[in-house]
Amino acid sequence: MTPPTSARALAARLGRLLTLRGLIAAPGAISLSGLALAAAAILLDRAAPGLVSRWGLEPEPARAVLSTLAGAAMTALGLVYSITLVVFTLAAGSIAPRLLERFTKDRVSQLAIGALGALFIHALVSLALSPAGKSLAPPLLACLMALLAVMLLLVFVDRVARRITVDEEIDAIATGLDARIAAMAGRSGALQRRDLVLPAGPEAAVRAPASGYLESVAFEALAAAARARSGFLDLRVAPGDPVLKGDVVARALGPGAKALAAETQDCFAIGRRRTEEGDLRFSVSLLLEIALRALSPGVNDSFTAISVINRLVASLAVAAEHGLDAGVWCDAEGAPRIAIPKAGLDELIRFAFDPIHQAAAGNLLVAQAASDALARLAPRLDGRAREEAERQLRLFAEASD
């Protein structure tokens, strides 16, 4: 059973909000937990007066502990944000500016900022609301939170030191690409988009509600709705493609085409920018941006481009191993329900290596590395994907010769 359309739309909007404000929403929610922890600590003090009278701190030492931790938390929070801005500047200048959104979504950074904010709020509220007598839970909990914040701060610094290394970022992007390939693979079985015979009969258009990029598509919900209506959906654009308001993003086919189009309207998330969610080409384009910047005359860093090529080939090998979606999405019963454009492995190989081939013209080192990588990849492929890999191999071999 698929969730209601309004629920899917609300979940999609909430997800986009959390993504776009990576250093506000998640750290803010964690910081506000300090308010609940302070209230719980004060209530615990009042519920166990015997423990407080025996083990609690006198008012002055307790307030000194809380005041010190509150000031230290704000100082460390400013340091974390300063380091984050420095990392943004270095990443934009030396790696690629479009990678900045990945840094804002880093969970370690969000946890470190949120933990320091929670410590500050907890200490501040405890100072304001603690009774005038002894207290036990507020300063004890504040010390435990400070210990956790210090450990997260150490992890954050280590994480930042590694993330500004270009090889680490290449590996992180490629690892995420491998995971998305594995998640999207195997949906079509032995079917290919070019072999599909679309059903005849009534049809209705699903149109974009706004201009922007097709950020993601709820394929499971689409397939379930198409199965319930005995229909079929022919997507006209792929995730990551730009659309204008009113453009046809899909055609609903079958006897219940109009109802199917109305039910699936909110399964297409339109946003202001491209994201990695459901869009393999965007992850590939992030790697391409690093490689093309490295191959530019102003940088001329062949070894970074070679690292990108090797990781791209490794991800394409993962796609070949898992059986990348060939443009067809089946429902739970194995019946084809959705046709997706630009989903073949041959398209992905062409998208990945055509720009590198053009940018690496005259660079013998990169041409030889690309030829070796494609020579390792080609035997793992078949059909059009192998033909495209062999075509790219010939182009790089000619440049190498």
Side-chain angles (χ1 to χ4, degrees):
M1 181 176 180
T2 59
T5 299
S6 58
R8 289 198 303 266
L10 180 61
R13 293 190 187 100
L14 181 60
R16 289 196 295 272
L17 175 64
L18 293 177
T19 299
L20 295 177
R21 301 185 181 275
L23 292 181
I24 297 179
I30 298 173
S31 298
L32 290 177
S33 68
L35 182 61
L37 291 173
I42 294 172
L43 291 176
L44 184 60
D45 261 9
R46 293 176 179 176
L51 289 176
V52 173
S53 61
R54 182 176 181 182
W55 301 102
L57 296 177
E58 295 293 337
E60 289 304 321
R63 294 182 67 84
V65 169
L66 293 172
S67 300
T68 302
L69 290 179
M74 285 305 297
T75 302
L77 191 59
L79 176 64
V80 168
Y81 270 110
S82 299
I83 293 175
T84 302
L85 292 177
V86 171
V87 169
F88 281 5
T89 304
L90 292 175
S94 62
I95 304 178
R98 286 178 181 81
L99 297 178
L100 296 185
E101 188 174 351
R102 290 177 50 83
F103 285 86
T104 63
K105 293 189 293 185
D106 182 66
R107 294 303 181 192
V108 173
S109 301
Q110 293 175 352
L111 286 173
I113 293 171
L116 291 169
L119 173 59
F120 172 75
I121 293 176
H122 169 75
L124 194 65
V125 173
S126 297
L127 280 170
L129 301 181
S130 290
K134 287 185 176 182
S135 61
L136 174 63
L140 179 61
L141 184 56
C143 291
L144 294 177
M145 293 174 65
L147 179 61
L148 176 62
V150 168
M151 298 305 298
L152 286 174
L153 185 60
L154 294 177
V155 175
F156 166 77
V157 173
D158 175 72
R159 176 88 167 177
V160 165
R162 288 187 289 109
R163 290 208 62 176
I164 59 176
T165 305
V166 65
D167 287 336
E168 289 285 343
E169 194 60 27
I170 291 172
D171 182 70
I173 297 171
T175 301
L177 175 61
D178 294 346
R180 280 182 286 278
I181 287 173
M184 295 179 65
R187 302 292 184 176
S188 60
L191 294 173
Q192 298 283 330
R193 178 183 169 88
R194 61 179 178 271
D195 299 329
L196 277 178
V197 178
L198 300 183
E203 67 176 64
V206 181
R207 298 185 179 275
S211 299
Y213 291 93
L214 182 59
E215 287 187 345
S216 63
V217 179
F219 287 108
E220 291 87 354
L222 285 178
R227 181 173 181 269
R229 294 284 180 180
S230 300
F232 188 88
L233 286 159
D234 181 23
L235 270 61
R236 313 306 296 171
V237 294
D241 286 348
V243 295
L244 297 176
K245 183 177 181 179
D247 281 356
V248 177
V249 296
R251 291 188 304 146
L253 308 174
K258 289 186 178 180
L260 179 58
E263 288 178 0
T264 57
Q265 182 74 43
D266 289 324
C267 291
F268 300 89
I270 308 296
R272 292 175 296 174
R273 57 173 66 84
R274 294 179 66 182
T275 65
E276 295 174 295
E277 182 183 358
D279 184 7
L280 299 181
R281 292 178 299 156
F282 182 71
S283 297
V284 173
S285 66
L286 289 178
L287 292 172
L288 278 177
E289 185 171 359
I290 297 174
L292 297 181
R293 179 179 288 261
L295 291 173
S296 64
V299 178
N300 194 24
D301 182 4
S302 300
F303 293 101
T304 295
I306 291 173
S307 296
V308 171
I309 290 171
N310 291 331
R311 288 303 279 120
L312 273 175
V313 167
S315 296
L316 293 172
V318 170
E321 178 184 354
H322 287 278
L324 183 65
D325 185 8
V328 181
W329 193 286
C330 299
D331 61 18
E333 303 298 326
R337 295 297 179 187
I338 306 171
I340 311 165
K342 304 177 184 177
L345 185 53
D346 57 326
E347 292 279 351
L348 202 59
I349 296 173
R350 184 180 302 111
F351 179 80
F353 282 98
D354 273 350
I356 295 178
H357 171 258
Q358 296 176 5
N363 192 320
L364 180 62
L365 191 62
V366 174
Q368 288 179 337
S371 298
D372 294 341
L374 288 167
R376 295 192 301 270
L377 175 66
R380 301 171 181 264
L381 308 175
D382 53 20
R384 293 189 177 184
R386 181 161 187 166
E387 293 175 3
E388 179 60 31
E390 291 175 347
R391 185 183 78 87
Q392 295 290 341
L393 181 59
R394 288 194 298 270
L395 292 175
F396 279 108
E398 291 171 2
S400 178
D401 290 341

mmCIF file of all heavy atoms in Angstrom, residues 11-33:
data_model
loop_
_atom_site.group_PDB
_atom_site.id
_atom_site.type_symbol
_atom_site.label_atom_id
_atom_site.label_comp_id
_atom_site.label_asym_id
_atom_site.label_seq_id
_atom_site.Cartn_x
_atom_site.Cartn_y
_atom_site.Cartn_z
ATOM 1 N N ALA A 11 6.803 14.614 2.958
ATOM 2 C CA ALA A 11 8.087 13.971 3.259
ATOM 3 C C ALA A 11 9.176 14.467 2.316
ATOM 4 O O ALA A 11 10.317 14.694 2.720
ATOM 5 C CB ALA A 11 7.942 12.457 3.154
ATOM 6 N N ALA A 12 8.836 14.647 1.032
ATOM 7 C CA ALA A 12 9.823 15.136 0.065
ATOM 8 C C ALA A 12 10.266 16.555 0.398
ATOM 9 O O ALA A 12 11.451 16.885 0.347
ATOM 10 C CB ALA A 12 9.248 15.080 -1.347
ATOM 11 N N ARG A 13 9.298 17.422 0.756
ATOM 12 C CA ARG A 13 9.653 18.804 1.110
ATOM 13 C C ARG A 13 10.523 18.859 2.361
ATOM 14 O O ARG A 13 11.472 19.626 2.444
ATOM 15 C CB ARG A 13 8.374 19.627 1.319
ATOM 16 C CG ARG A 13 7.563 19.842 0.043
ATOM 17 C CD ARG A 13 6.453 20.850 0.276
ATOM 18 N NE ARG A 13 5.580 20.938 -0.878
ATOM 19 C CZ ARG A 13 4.398 20.323 -0.962
ATOM 20 N NH1 ARG A 13 3.968 19.582 0.051
ATOM 21 N NH2 ARG A 13 3.655 20.450 -2.033
ATOM 22 N N LEU A 14 10.177 18.025 3.354
ATOM 23 C CA LEU A 14 10.970 17.992 4.585
ATOM 24 C C LEU A 14 12.384 17.498 4.306
ATOM 25 O O LEU A 14 13.362 18.039 4.826
ATOM 26 C CB LEU A 14 10.290 17.100 5.616
ATOM 27 C CG LEU A 14 10.990 16.975 6.975
ATOM 28 C CD1 LEU A 14 11.105 18.340 7.629
ATOM 29 C CD2 LEU A 14 10.243 16.016 7.879
ATOM 30 N N GLY A 15 12.506 16.479 3.459
ATOM 31 C CA GLY A 15 13.829 15.977 3.106
ATOM 32 C C GLY A 15 14.662 17.014 2.401
ATOM 33 O O GLY A 15 15.854 17.176 2.671
ATOM 34 N N ARG A 16 14.049 17.769 1.496
ATOM 35 C CA ARG A 16 14.793 18.822 0.791
ATOM 36 C C ARG A 16 15.209 19.930 1.747
ATOM 37 O O ARG A 16 16.290 20.506 1.633
ATOM 38 C CB ARG A 16 13.944 19.376 -0.356
ATOM 39 C CG ARG A 16 13.783 18.429 -1.519
ATOM 40 C CD ARG A 16 13.288 19.160 -2.748
ATOM 41 N NE ARG A 16 11.954 19.693 -2.563
ATOM 42 C CZ ARG A 16 10.839 19.034 -2.820
ATOM 43 N NH1 ARG A 16 10.899 17.787 -3.261
ATOM 44 N NH2 ARG A 16 9.652 19.585 -2.666
ATOM 45 N N LEU A 17 14.339 20.249 2.731
ATOM 46 C CA LEU A 17 14.692 21.285 3.706
ATOM 47 C C LEU A 17 15.907 20.877 4.521
ATOM 48 O O LEU A 17 16.842 21.656 4.729
ATOM 49 C CB LEU A 17 13.497 21.545 4.628
ATOM 50 C CG LEU A 17 13.743 22.526 5.782
ATOM 51 C CD1 LEU A 17 14.048 23.904 5.227
ATOM 52 C CD2 LEU A 17 12.549 22.567 6.718
ATOM 53 N N LEU A 18 15.922 19.625 4.978
ATOM 54 C CA LEU A 18 17.050 19.150 5.769
ATOM 55 C C LEU A 18 18.322 19.108 4.943
ATOM 56 O O LEU A 18 19.419 19.317 5.441
ATOM 57 C CB LEU A 18 16.736 17.766 6.341
ATOM 58 C CG LEU A 18 15.608 17.738 7.391
ATOM 59 C CD1 LEU A 18 15.338 16.302 7.816
ATOM 60 C CD2 LEU A 18 15.940 18.595 8.593
ATOM 61 N N THR A 19 18.197 18.824 3.636
ATOM 62 C CA THR A 19 19.370 18.755 2.769
ATOM 63 C C THR A 19 19.929 20.142 2.494
ATOM 64 O O THR A 19 21.129 20.374 2.561
ATOM 65 C CB THR A 19 19.012 18.054 1.454
ATOM 66 O OG1 THR A 19 18.567 16.726 1.744
ATOM 67 C CG2 THR A 19 20.220 17.982 0.541
ATOM 68 N N LEU A 20 19.040 21.107 2.208
ATOM 69 C CA LEU A 20 19.505 22.437 1.831
ATOM 70 C C LEU A 20 20.091 23.188 3.019
ATOM 71 O O LEU A 20 20.929 24.061 2.847
ATOM 72 C CB LEU A 20 18.340 23.235 1.225
ATOM 73 C CG LEU A 20 17.786 22.695 -0.103
ATOM 74 C CD1 LEU A 20 16.603 23.540 -0.544
ATOM 75 C CD2 LEU A 20 18.853 22.688 -1.168
ATOM 76 N N ARG A 21 19.673 22.873 4.217
ATOM 77 C CA ARG A 21 20.153 23.581 5.400
ATOM 78 C C ARG A 21 20.883 22.610 6.309
ATOM 79 O O ARG A 21 20.504 22.406 7.461
ATOM 80 C CB ARG A 21 18.979 24.265 6.110
ATOM 81 C CG ARG A 21 18.249 25.257 5.220
ATOM 82 C CD ARG A 21 17.176 25.991 5.986
ATOM 83 N NE ARG A 21 16.459 26.917 5.121
ATOM 84 C CZ ARG A 21 16.847 28.160 4.841
ATOM 85 N NH1 ARG A 21 17.962 28.605 5.352
ATOM 86 N NH2 ARG A 21 16.149 28.932 4.055
ATOM 87 N N GLY A 22 21.926 21.991 5.769
ATOM 88 C CA GLY A 22 22.607 20.941 6.492
ATOM 89 C C GLY A 22 23.263 21.397 7.781
ATOM 90 O O GLY A 22 23.395 20.621 8.715
ATOM 91 N N LEU A 23 23.674 22.672 7.870
ATOM 92 C CA LEU A 23 24.317 23.177 9.081
ATOM 93 C C LEU A 23 23.343 23.972 9.939
ATOM 94 O O LEU A 23 23.772 24.699 10.846
ATOM 95 C CB LEU A 23 25.527 24.038 8.714
ATOM 96 C CG LEU A 23 26.701 23.275 8.084
ATOM 97 C CD1 LEU A 23 27.852 24.222 7.792
ATOM 98 C CD2 LEU A 23 27.163 22.141 8.972
ATOM 99 N N ILE A 24 22.044 23.856 9.678
ATOM 100 C CA ILE A 24 21.044 24.533 10.491
ATOM 101 C C ILE A 24 20.064 23.533 11.093
ATOM 102 O O ILE A 24 19.889 23.461 12.310
ATOM 103 C CB ILE A 24 20.283 25.600 9.669
ATOM 104 C CG1 ILE A 24 21.237 26.697 9.206
ATOM 105 C CG2 ILE A 24 19.144 26.190 10.479
ATOM 106 C CD1 ILE A 24 20.591 27.772 8.370
ATOM 107 N N ALA A 25 19.424 22.735 10.231
ATOM 108 C CA ALA A 25 18.326 21.883 10.696
ATOM 109 C C ALA A 25 18.801 20.815 11.680
ATOM 110 O O ALA A 25 18.326 20.751 12.817
ATOM 111 C CB ALA A 25 17.632 21.236 9.489
ATOM 112 N N ALA A 26 19.744 19.974 11.250
ATOM 113 C CA ALA A 26 20.190 18.878 12.117
ATOM 114 C C ALA A 26 20.926 19.391 13.364
ATOM 115 O O ALA A 26 20.601 18.990 14.490
ATOM 116 C CB ALA A 26 21.058 17.907 11.325
ATOM 117 N N PRO A 27 21.934 20.297 13.231
ATOM 118 C CA PRO A 27 22.572 20.818 14.454
ATOM 119 C C PRO A 27 21.596 21.564 15.356
ATOM 120 O O PRO A 27 21.704 21.506 16.584
ATOM 121 C CB PRO A 27 23.663 21.753 13.920
ATOM 122 C CG PRO A 27 23.947 21.264 12.549
ATOM 123 C CD PRO A 27 22.632 20.775 12.019
ATOM 124 N N GLY A 28 20.627 22.271 14.747
ATOM 125 C CA GLY A 28 19.645 22.984 15.559
ATOM 126 C C GLY A 28 18.782 22.038 16.374
ATOM 127 O O GLY A 28 18.489 22.300 17.556
ATOM 128 N N ALA A 29 18.364 20.931 15.745
ATOM 129 C CA ALA A 29 17.551 19.949 16.475
ATOM 130 C C ALA A 29 18.338 19.324 17.621
ATOM 131 O O ALA A 29 17.817 19.118 18.728
ATOM 132 C CB ALA A 29 17.056 18.878 15.511
ATOM 133 N N ILE A 30 19.615 19.022 17.376
ATOM 134 C CA ILE A 30 20.445 18.445 18.437
ATOM 135 C C ILE A 30 20.665 19.466 19.554
ATOM 136 O O ILE A 30 20.633 19.127 20.745
ATOM 137 C CB ILE A 30 21.789 17.969 17.859
ATOM 138 C CG1 ILE A 30 21.561 16.863 16.817
ATOM 139 C CG2 ILE A 30 22.702 17.455 18.965
ATOM 140 C CD1 ILE A 30 22.814 16.464 16.072
ATOM 141 N N SER A 31 20.857 20.732 19.169
ATOM 142 C CA SER A 31 21.078 21.772 20.186
ATOM 143 C C SER A 31 19.862 21.937 21.087
ATOM 144 O O SER A 31 19.994 22.105 22.303
ATOM 145 C CB SER A 31 21.415 23.102 19.504
ATOM 146 O OG SER A 31 22.609 23.003 18.761
ATOM 147 N N LEU A 32 18.673 21.878 20.503
ATOM 148 C CA LEU A 32 17.460 22.046 21.301
ATOM 149 C C LEU A 32 17.253 20.899 22.285
ATOM 150 O O LEU A 32 16.503 21.055 23.257
ATOM 151 C CB LEU A 32 16.250 22.178 20.387
ATOM 152 C CG LEU A 32 16.160 23.486 19.584
ATOM 153 C CD1 LEU A 32 14.952 23.473 18.669
ATOM 154 C CD2 LEU A 32 16.101 24.684 20.522
ATOM 155 N N SER A 33 17.910 19.770 22.031
ATOM 156 C CA SER A 33 17.803 18.676 22.997
ATOM 157 C C SER A 33 18.428 19.053 24.341
ATOM 158 O O SER A 33 18.098 18.467 25.373
ATOM 159 C CB SER A 33 18.474 17.414 22.449
ATOM 160 O OG SER A 33 19.888 17.591 22.353
#
